Structure formats: C-alpha cells, structure tokens
Amino acid sequence: MRLEVLPDNPVIESVDGRAARELPPGAVVEVRRSRYDALLVRIGKANFYRLVRSKFRLADPPATDTT
C-alpha cells in the first residue's frame, strides 16, 4: 500500500511517539505487511510521556494541588 501526502494536509512522521520529521506534500510512504501488529497512523497530537506510561503500565503522576 502506498500513501501520498496531499497538499494542505501536513503529516508528521513519528518514531516511538516522538516527532521525527514533517513529510512534504507529494511524499510517498510505502507500507508492507508484517507478521507483527503495529499502530501506523494516529490522527491528532500525542503526548509522549502519556504514551510511555501507557506502554509500560506506569501510574499517572499525582495531581498537584494549586490552592
């Protein structure tokens, strides 16, 4: 499967939840089947630290009381 970045639709390539680079309009990404499942596309922004806590099943930090 080939995916092409369209004009006016910026795409950010990320690796392990961290932004790696912006793909310019016209860039083509080729996706091939693997024997392992993977999340390849995420719509919207992701919080790197939340992703790490989720992957390693870590507790969220306690809320800070600002009153």
Side-chain angles (χ1 to χ4, degrees):
M1 172 188 292
R2 293 169 54 96
L3 305 171
E4 182 177 347
V5 178
L6 300 175
D8 301 323
N9 289 303
V11 173
I12 304 294
E13 174 186 27
S14 68
V15 178
D16 290 333
R18 299 187 90 176
R21 63 181 171 159
E22 184 172 339
L23 299 176
V28 176
V29 177
E30 185 173 340
V31 181
R32 292 181 283 151
R33 185 181 180 114
S34 171
R35 60 181 165 162
Y36 304 104
D37 292 335
L39 177 61
L40 297 176
V41 176
R42 179 182 309 276
I43 305 300
K45 292 186 177 186
N47 180 298
F48 173 74
Y49 297 104
R50 186 177 300 141
L51 289 171
V52 169
R53 286 192 301 270
S54 173
K55 284 183 182 184
F56 292 102
R57 296 187 176 122
L58 301 173
D60 286 332
T64 348
D65 186 12
T66 59
T67 58

